[in-house]
Amino acid sequence: MKLIAGVDIGNSTTEVCIGSVGEDGSFRFLSSASRITTGTKGTLPNVHGIKAALEEAMSAIGMPLEKLDLVRLNEAAPVIGDTAMETITETIITESSMIGHNPSTPAGAGEAVGRLLFIENMDRGMQNTPYILVASSQFSYEEVAAKLNQYEERLDIRGLILQADEAVLVENRLNKKIPIVDEVRHIDKVPEEKLAAIEVALPGTSIRMLSNPYGIATLLGLDADETRAVTPIAKSLIGKRSAVVIRTPNGNIKENILPAGEIVFHGQQELSINIDRGADEIMDRLAEAGEIRDIDGQPNTNVGNMLTRIRTSMADVAESENHDVRITDILAVDTLAPVEISGALAGETCMEKAVGIAAMVKTAHLPMQKIAERLEQDLHIRAVVAGVEAVMASLGAMTTPGTKLPLAILDMGGGSTDAAVLEPDGRVRTTHQAGAGELVTMLIQTELGLKSRTTAEQIKKYPMGKVESLFHLRLENGAMQFFEESIDPRYYGHVVLLAPDEMLRIEEDIPMERILEVRRDAKRKVFVRNAIRALRQVAPEHDLRSIPNVVLVGGSAEDFEIPEMLMQALSEYRIVCGRGNIRGTEGPRNAVATGLLLSYIGSTQEG
């Protein structure tokens, strides 16, 4: 009896399937396992994850790793995702020329314009001059309130800027109510004697003057050129409840403009397109170029630098020269990205149009052979690179109950979307395209401005709810879920992710409706678009209506909403679509690893 292992190295997970082949040619599936992929897909660090998955699968049948006779690996093309921004003007502020701020706990309401004056210098203030006072955290809220009350008759105090998060505490102790903005971390950068405007909106509303460049111009007396320069600040303050903008006429404003740049497709036709044109036109131009040999970008531009970065990082992990690395496919997706405003007092950002790109990267020598050689050295077991990913996934998908030829599969993983059509006469058409789960995670993290990629990954995977009392939460679909025992008070008022057996609190203060919109939009942009693109590529005469049924496999097919999105999108082409159930036990996972074993049986029988 021989023990054979099929190993599928994915961008996110490495899956293994173990089978036995008897002397009479009989075959049995014995076990399977899955581990997180170590390193970039298709590179030598993958070996650690492969060995861990093999050990787990072999231990499940009570046998040591040394009993394996053969390891069969899939061919793996690495996929690297990154973002390319549309043209962005970065305003570099050398003397705090314009500063925007958007704290979440202001006090009071209204607008105020005046000269900045530090609270310790109030005795220098002049009558008949409007002032906005500035107080660092070394002054307690009692001291700040006492000072303002003491000077309210002598000075014209219009507003207050605080470093500490104490606006409400100060306001409660003032005789004369004024708008107060707090949480200005870098208060030492505030230039005294300069003209400033602050605005605080009523609860439930947002500011109107300081989120409008012409409003800032009205309050601070700006000319047309200065108004243009404050546009990024006005954009960053849209939807905020409070803000402060400071003018220093002698400030030196420098603009560093890095153009978005053009993508150049080297295919059957050599075509180019500026990334400013957006994802739809980029993908249309890619299709016009025909079969792609390579893709690069205009030098010294956003997209040129990004594609160079991808090429260089792949050359490093593959130990190749840059010219040996080719980008053979991309998926472009429109998105928004937060861009930090240089010189801001509290790290303010404004949302700029961006294009997210997943790139399919190939080297002159696919590094899978090196992985096979390293496995043979480490395990003393024969290892071979055995099959194209999409073909192997198709063979594995055929073990799903209720399927028959002709059969189309969509293998949706972390980095790529593979499609294949198997005809009854044995012919196979395949395609391997960039863009899948990792690009969705990147879009969610970018558009929501999340600090943690882990949070973005969790948002992609789990449904949400908002804890509205200690005994119930409102689910994302509007339904209420009640609990017999009290919910942990730490979750009260927060959006939570409903992971199996636990709630995961989202730390950022983002409305549930916004998270839901971004999550669904990202999945549609990536998975629905890529699925139709891939299936059209492999369909007879590129006609989707010629495909009768599609089996969804891969890690992303386990998602709680992606299969339903695809079923809806493909129903207009009268395609039956659903999750696979590999070998009737594995769900949509393990298709490639299973196919690697089935292809071994077929090759030995043919031999």
Side-chain angles (χ1 to χ4, degrees):
M1 182 182 75
K2 285 186 177 180
L3 289 178
I4 314 296
V7 177
D8 172 25
I9 306 168
N11 279 79
S12 302
T13 58
T14 296
E15 297 176 353
V16 165
C17 182
I18 307 291
S20 65
V21 181
E23 293 181 5
D24 59 354
S26 61
F27 178 80
R28 277 198 312 143
F29 290 107
L30 299 178
S31 68
S32 59
S34 175
R35 284 295 179 97
I36 294 173
T37 296
T38 49
T40 301
K41 174 181 177 177
T43 61
L44 281 177
N46 295 166
V47 170
H48 303 292
I50 294 170
K51 289 196 286 190
L54 287 172
E55 286 171 355
E56 182 181 334
M58 290 296 285
S59 66
I61 57 175
M63 300 188 77
L65 199 53
E66 297 76 30
K67 290 290 184 182
L68 268 177
D69 295 288
L70 176 65
V71 175
R72 290 169 62 82
L73 302 169
N74 66 307
E75 289 184 6
V79 177
I80 300 173
D82 204 343
T83 55
M85 301 296 175
E86 190 178 279
T87 305
I88 295 166
T89 300
E90 181 185 3
T91 303
I92 302 172
I93 301 172
T94 57
E95 198 199 319
S96 300
S97 299
M98 288 291 175
I99 301 169
H101 183 43
N102 51 310
S104 57
T105 56
E111 304 151 12
V113 178
R115 296 284 168 188
L116 292 167
L117 180 66
F118 279 93
I119 197 166
E120 58 265 36
N121 299 329
M122 289 179 74
D123 56 341
R124 302 181 196 168
M126 303 179 66
Q127 291 185 342
N128 302 318
T129 299
Y131 286 109
I132 291 176
L133 295 184
V134 181
S136 69
S137 56
Q138 72 183 63
F139 294 92
S140 68
Y141 60 86
E142 291 101 334
E143 291 173 319
V144 173
K147 278 272 193 183
L148 265 68
N149 289 333
Q150 178 187 344
Y151 280 85
E152 69 175 353
E153 298 298 333
R154 291 173 51 192
L155 296 179
D156 182 6
I157 301 170
R158 302 285 182 88
L160 175 63
I161 299 173
L162 295 173
Q163 184 176 31
D165 180 11
E166 296 176 343
V168 175
L169 294 172
V170 172
E171 191 206 26
N172 289 341
R173 289 161 175 78
L174 292 182
N175 298 330
K176 177 185 173 184
K177 301 304 181 185
I178 56 174
I180 305 174
V181 174
D182 59 3
E183 300 178 63
V184 179
R185 290 199 303 270
H186 305 297
I187 204 142
D188 55 301
K189 292 184 180 179
V190 173
E192 199 169 23
E193 290 297 321
K194 304 301 183 183
L195 191 64
I198 68 174
E199 182 179 3
V200 177
L202 292 169
T205 64
S206 58
I207 58 172
R208 298 181 62 184
M209 291 294 282
L210 295 185
S211 60
N212 172 8
Y214 301 116
I216 297 175
T218 302
L219 294 176
L220 297 181
L222 306 183
D223 61 26
D225 289 339
E226 291 169 325
T227 301
R228 182 182 62 83
V230 300
T231 299
I233 290 170
K235 284 173 64 178
S236 76
L237 299 172
I238 292 172
K240 307 303 180 187
R241 193 184 156 201
S242 65
V244 52
V245 176
I246 302 170
R247 180 187 185 191
T248 57
N250 298 325
N252 179 18
I253 302 176
K254 296 179 181 177
E255 290 180 345
N256 174 27
I257 303 174
L258 185 65
E262 292 191 344
I263 299 178
V264 181
F265 300 114
H266 304 281
Q268 292 165 319
Q269 298 185 67
E270 185 152 318
L271 301 175
S272 64
I273 185 170
N274 197 296
I275 201 167
D276 282 342
R277 303 292 290 273
D280 288 344
E281 292 194 37
I282 291 171
M283 297 308 294
D284 289 344
R285 188 60 57 89
L286 173 66
E288 291 171 18
E291 187 174 346
I292 298 296
R293 299 188 309 276
D294 199 4
I295 299 170
D296 57 31
Q298 182 181 352
N300 300 316
T301 64
N302 273 315
V303 71
N305 292 348
M306 189 207 73
L307 292 176
T308 299
R309 207 161 54 237
I310 289 175
R311 200 182 298 273
T312 301
S313 63
M314 193 59 233
D316 289 343
V317 295
E319 297 179 358
S320 302
E321 298 294 328
N322 265 23
H323 59 79
D324 289 334
V325 177
R326 294 179 296 117
I327 298 175
T328 56
D329 185 52
I330 63 168
L331 176 66
V333 179
D334 288 325
T335 185
L336 294 171
V339 178
E340 188 168 339
I341 299 171
S342 298
L345 287 180
E348 286 77 25
T349 60
C350 63
M351 299 301 287
E352 289 285 352
K353 185 179 177 183
V355 176
I357 287 182
M360 180 76 66
V361 182
K362 290 185 179 178
T363 61
H365 306 288
L366 202 63
M368 291 304 301
Q369 189 57 46
K370 291 183 179 179
I371 294 175
E373 291 167 3
R374 177 65 62 84
L375 279 173
E376 287 191 348
Q377 291 173 12
D378 292 358
L379 303 179
H380 306 292
I381 299 168
R382 185 168 169 244
V384 297
V385 181
V388 176
E389 205 162 336
V391 177
M392 297 302 104
S394 300
L395 292 174
M398 287 180 60
T399 65
T400 295
T403 58
K404 68 173 185 177
L405 297 177
L407 177 73
I409 65 104
L410 272 175
D411 184 2
M412 302 179 295
S416 62
T417 299
D418 300 338
V421 171
L422 271 73
E423 300 287 0
D425 61 6
R427 285 181 296 125
V428 184
R429 288 184 300 277
T430 67
T431 186
H432 193 52
Q433 297 186 334
E438 290 184 1
L439 181 57
V440 171
T441 301
M442 184 184 73
L443 292 175
I444 291 171
Q445 182 179 9
T446 301
E447 289 204 27
L448 294 178
L450 302 172
K451 296 176 182 176
S452 166
R453 188 175 178 86
T454 300
T455 302
E457 181 73 19
Q458 291 168 338
I459 287 173
K460 179 183 75 175
K461 289 171 62 176
Y462 303 126
M464 289 179 295
K466 183 169 184 180
V467 179
E468 296 186 335
S469 80
L470 294 181
F471 290 92
H472 87 279
L473 59 82
R474 176 168 55 91
L475 301 175
E476 64 179 51
N477 63 3
M480 297 292 183
Q481 182 175 351
F482 294 89
F483 299 86
E484 292 185 4
E485 296 184 7
S486 171
I487 300 171
D488 189 326
R490 291 176 298 171
Y491 297 134
Y492 177 71
H494 285 270
V495 177
V496 295
L497 300 170
L498 305 176
D501 304 320
E502 66 173 331
M503 291 182 184
L504 303 172
R505 190 175 83 174
I506 296 177
E507 299 300 332
E508 285 85 355
D509 184 19
I510 307 171
M512 181 167 67
E513 293 74 16
R514 172 63 179 156
I515 299 172
L516 180 63
E517 176 190 15
V518 168
R519 186 192 75 205
R520 287 180 175 169
D521 197 38
K523 289 179 180 179
R524 286 191 191 98
K525 286 176 180 176
V526 174
F527 284 107
V528 175
R529 175 169 209 146
N530 231 12
I532 291 173
R533 183 169 76 112
L535 288 172
R536 185 168 278 129
Q537 191 77 16
V538 297
E541 299 180 1
H542 305 299
D543 180 9
L544 281 179
R545 295 183 185 276
S546 63
I547 295 177
N549 51 73
V550 173
V551 177
L552 305 177
V553 299
S556 295
E558 290 186 313
D559 187 89
F560 67 98
E561 60 188 350
I562 290 171
E564 286 72 17
M565 287 181 179
L566 289 173
M567 285 172 64
Q568 189 172 10
L570 295 175
S571 63
E572 65 178 276
Y573 302 100
R574 298 184 179 180
I575 295 174
V576 177
C577 172
R579 286 184 185 88
N581 188 15
I582 309 305
R583 308 201 306 274
T585 60
E586 302 291 321
R589 283 195 173 275
N590 214 255
V592 175
T594 299
L596 285 163
L597 293 189
L598 292 173
S599 68
Y600 173 78
I601 302 164
S603 64
T604 54
Q605 287 176 348
E606 288 168 10

